[in-house]
């Protein structure tokens, strides 16, 4: 074999090794993220179905106590009423914590229902109008559903907290062998390069996550001109 | 003339909640005829005891509460279903109603409300707590907002075909079992896949597993 042929062969081997390493790196990255989401799911369930249900029983017991108490002295009834209110507030906090970690609706009813809930609750919290358009989607595995949910969640949080947008449009559709997600807002905008350079958090972190699934994140916008975040992710990412 | 007590089955996988509910309902003069801790057992017990009302949670092992409601609605049409859950989100409410529930309330509602709900559902009037009523009104106002459960959009026949596909039957076998032509079975199959956004049987089975729709 001459030198050039040997060099080509070596170069080819090097490329193949790089590709293998890249695949392995992505597989490991996805595994780490999956462990993290599984843990969040478990804690969210424990909070919602464990602590939450116990608080519910406690609330029933307090109601019973309240009903059995004589009308006098009033002080005792006030104490039970205060305990009932505290129990109710703690139950609501527990539900909220569970949703913040990982909303049970995502696992119970799937991505479409979870996105509709997310859009509605974000709209109520921020006062912005958020429109959601979802075309008929193919069956998606749990990891892809989580990925798309988290990207949407991050973009909506960004639109509400940093961009103070009054209108956000979310579109999710299939484009051939990939899914396309677009979130466009009319907020104060930003420099996409700066926003994406923010490292492991926010939209920069979402871009890294998408890469692990062979996906891409693009941002288009400028200070004062709103922001358009678009993500494409292949259906067959392995 | 003494009135006959309402016969109720309670389905909840959380023992403490179930016991608390039993105590509460019995205290209110309601006859708790059976209890179940998972979806499949709920169906078995309902079949055996034919209760007037099933009070059920949505999150249950082995078969989800939503699927339990659908099957009860088809097999025991005289049995009313009241959902008693921790979930307040509109999506759960609408899917439960679509599945056949005639009542929906959250678990931490006061005892008197639960008793009133059981009696109301039994009398065929339905019962929806404030949050559920608001969600239903909102859906009536905006019917175009589909809250996304493709399975819920299947017709009764399509659901039958769905389960037969998931059990591994071929189109020919499905046709034979349902006494329909192969062509009709093929049409049903195509519509089921289309509505679920599944490309093939494998995707359909994955969907069924994820939604805990299989026995």
């Amino acid at each position: 074999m001459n030198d050039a042929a040997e060099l080509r062969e070596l170069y080819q081997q090097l490329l193949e090794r790089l590709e293998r390493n890249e695949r392995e790196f992505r597989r490991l990255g996805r595994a780490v993220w999956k462990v993290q989401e599984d843990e969040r799911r478990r804690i969210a369930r424990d909070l919602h179905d464990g602590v939450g249900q116990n608080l519910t029983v406690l609330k029933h017991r307090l109601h019973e106590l309240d009903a059995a108490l004589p009308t006098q002295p009033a002080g005792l009834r006030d104490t039970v009423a205060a305990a009932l209110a505290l129990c109710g507030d703690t139950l609501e906090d527990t539900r909220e914590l569970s949703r913040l970690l990982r909303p049970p609706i995502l696992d119970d009813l799937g991505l479409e229902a979870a996105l509709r809930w997310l859009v509605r609750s974000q709209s109520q919290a921020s006062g912005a109008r958020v429109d959601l358009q979802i075309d008929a989607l193919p069956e998606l595995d749990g990891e892809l559903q989580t990925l798309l949910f988290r990207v949407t969640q991050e973009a909506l949080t960004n639109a509400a907290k940093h961009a103070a947008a009054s209108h956000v449009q979310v579109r999710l559709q299939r484009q051939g062998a990939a899914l396309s997600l677009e979130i466009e807002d009319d907020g104060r905008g930003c420099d996409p390069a700066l926003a994406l350079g923010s490292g492991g958090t926010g939209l920069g972190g979402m871009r890294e996550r998408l890469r692990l699934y062979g996906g891409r994140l693009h941002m288009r916008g400028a200070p004062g001109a709103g922001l358009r975040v678009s993500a494409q992710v292949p259906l067959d990412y392995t | 003339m003494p009135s006959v007590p309402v016969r109720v089955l309670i389905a909840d996988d959380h023992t403490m909640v179930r016991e608390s509910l039993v105590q509460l309902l019995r205290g209110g003069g309601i006859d708790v005829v059976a209890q179940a801790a998972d979806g499949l057992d709920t169906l078995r017990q309902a079949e055996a005891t034919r209760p007037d009302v099933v009070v059920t949670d949505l999150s249950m092992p082995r078969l989800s509460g939503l699927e339990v409601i659908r099957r009860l609605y088809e097999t025991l049409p005289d049995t009313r279903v009241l959902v008693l859950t921790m979930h307040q989100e509109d999506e759960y409410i609408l899917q439960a109603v679509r599945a056949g529930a005639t009542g929906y309330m959250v678990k931490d509602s006061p005892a008197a409300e639960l008793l009133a709900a059981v009696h109301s559902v039994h009398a065929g009037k339905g019962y929806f707590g404030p949050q559920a009523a608001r969600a239903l009104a909102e859906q009536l106002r905006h019917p175009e907002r589909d809250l996304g459960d493709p399975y819920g959009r299947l017709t009764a026949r399509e659901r039958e075909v769905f389960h037969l596909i998931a059990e591994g039957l071929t189109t020919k076998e499905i046709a034979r079992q349902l006494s329909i032509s192969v062509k009709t079975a093929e049409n049903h199959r195509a519509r089921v896949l289309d509505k679920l956004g599944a490309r093939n049987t494998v995707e359909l089975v994955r969907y069924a597993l994820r939604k805990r729709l299989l026995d």
Side-chain angles (χ1 to χ4, degrees), chain B residues 47-102:
Chain B
E47 189 69 38
T49 58
R50 309 259 162 168
D52 298 317
V53 178
V54 172
V55 176
T56 183
D57 194 359
L58 289 179
S59 311
M60 284 194 293
R62 295 181 76 199
L63 200 63
S64 80
L66 283 175
E67 184 56 16
V68 167
I69 300 168
R70 281 187 193 105
R71 295 198 191 181
L72 286 175
Y73 188 66
E74 282 169 12
T75 56
L76 298 173
D78 294 334
T79 296
R80 309 281 171 191
V81 179
L82 169 66
V83 173
L84 188 64
T85 173
M86 298 284 287
H87 298 294
Q88 300 170 315
E89 293 85 353
D90 294 9
E91 286 73 15
Y92 286 99
I93 297 162
L94 295 173
Q95 292 200 16
V97 172
R98 278 196 191 135
T102 48

Side-chain angles (χ1 to χ4, degrees), chain B residues 152-171:
Chain B
R153 286 183 225 134
L154 301 184
T155 63
R157 183 56 121 188
E158 285 164 1
R159 277 211 295 279
E160 229 172 335
V161 172
F162 168 93
H163 284 279
L164 292 175
I165 300 172
E167 283 166 24
L169 270 68
T170 64
T171 309

Side-chain angles (χ1 to χ4, degrees), chain A residues 45 47-57 59-61 63-64 88 91-92 95 99 103-118 120 124 136-142 145 174 177 235, chain B residues 12-14 16-17 19-21 23-24 57 59 66 84-92 95 106-111 114 134 145-150 153 194 196-199 203-204 206-208 210-212:
Chain A
R45 281 270 174 220
L47 279 173
H48 197 269
D49 294 346
V51 181
Q53 304 259 30
N54 286 350
L55 284 168
T56 302
V57 176
K59 209 171 161 189
H60 281 159
R61 296 276 182 256
H63 270 300
E64 282 172 38
L91 184 57
E92 203 38 62
R95 281 180 176 139
R99 287 188 203 115
I105 195 170
L106 183 57
D107 298 305
D108 288 343
L109 304 183
L111 178 66
E112 197 171 332
L115 285 180
R116 296 202 184 275
W117 164 78
L118 177 70
R120 198 177 59 251
Q124 280 163 1
L137 297 178
E139 175 66 7
L140 304 176
D141 68 28
Q145 297 201 35
R174 180 181 189 157
L235 286 162
Chain B
D12 198 309
D13 59 328
H14 201 269
M16 259 184 20
V17 172
E19 283 170 0
S20 167
L21 289 174
Q23 190 183 336
L24 200 149
D57 194 359
S59 311
L66 283 175
L84 188 64
T85 173
M86 298 284 287
H87 298 294
Q88 300 170 315
E89 293 85 353
D90 294 9
E91 286 73 15
Y92 286 99
Q95 292 200 16
V106 284
K107 276 187 179 170
D108 56 317
S109 311
L114 176 61
R134 192 201 53 72
R145 284 183 205 159
D146 195 320
L147 294 182
D149 171 23
R153 286 183 225 134
D194 186 44
L196 298 179
R199 279 175 297 187
E203 287 191 353
L204 181 142
R206 263 173 40 194
Y207 176 90
R210 191 165 52 74
K211 295 268 177 169
R212 285 185 286 160

Side-chain angles (χ1 to χ4, degrees), chain A residues 33-201:
Chain A
W33 190 37
K34 188 170 180 305
V35 166
Q36 190 190 30
E37 284 290 340
D38 286 348
E39 184 73 355
R40 283 169 163 253
R41 180 189 292 116
R42 193 183 62 74
I43 300 173
R45 281 270 174 220
D46 281 355
L47 279 173
H48 197 269
D49 294 346
V51 181
Q53 304 259 30
N54 286 350
L55 284 168
T56 302
V57 176
L58 183 62
K59 209 171 161 189
H60 281 159
R61 296 276 182 256
L62 286 170
H63 270 300
E64 282 172 38
L65 192 62
D66 186 47
L69 277 180
T71 46
Q72 292 299 327
L76 207 52
R77 298 206 69 145
D78 289 347
T79 306
V80 175
L84 259 170
L86 179 63
C87 190
D89 289 348
T90 313
L91 184 57
E92 203 38 62
D93 288 350
T94 307
R95 281 180 176 139
E96 190 56 29
L97 270 174
S98 166
R99 287 188 203 115
L100 279 173
L101 273 169
R102 183 177 168 95
I105 195 170
L106 183 57
D107 298 305
D108 288 343
L109 304 183
L111 178 66
E112 197 171 332
L115 285 180
R116 296 202 184 275
W117 164 78
L118 177 70
V119 157
R120 198 177 59 251
S121 47
Q122 286 271 0
S123 174
Q124 280 163 1
S126 69
R129 195 179 110 211
V130 188
D131 294 325
L132 173 66
Q133 184 195 327
I134 303 180
D135 292 356
L137 297 178
E139 175 66 7
L140 304 176
D141 68 28
E143 285 188 61
L144 269 187
Q145 297 201 35
T146 302
L147 176 70
L148 292 163
F149 180 83
R150 292 298 189 202
V151 174
T152 312
Q153 192 176 33
E154 186 58 44
L156 286 179
T157 303
N158 183 67
K161 265 172 74 177
H162 305 301
S166 61
H167 183 210
V168 188
Q169 174 77 41
V170 181
R171 278 181 298 268
L172 176 60
Q173 57 193 337
R174 180 181 189 157
Q175 282 180 345
L179 287 167
S180 160
L181 173 68
E182 282 184 4
I183 301 109
E184 194 170 3
D185 73 58
D186 64 352
R188 61 171 71 107
C190 64
D191 179 343
L194 281 177
L196 283 174
S198 63
T201 58

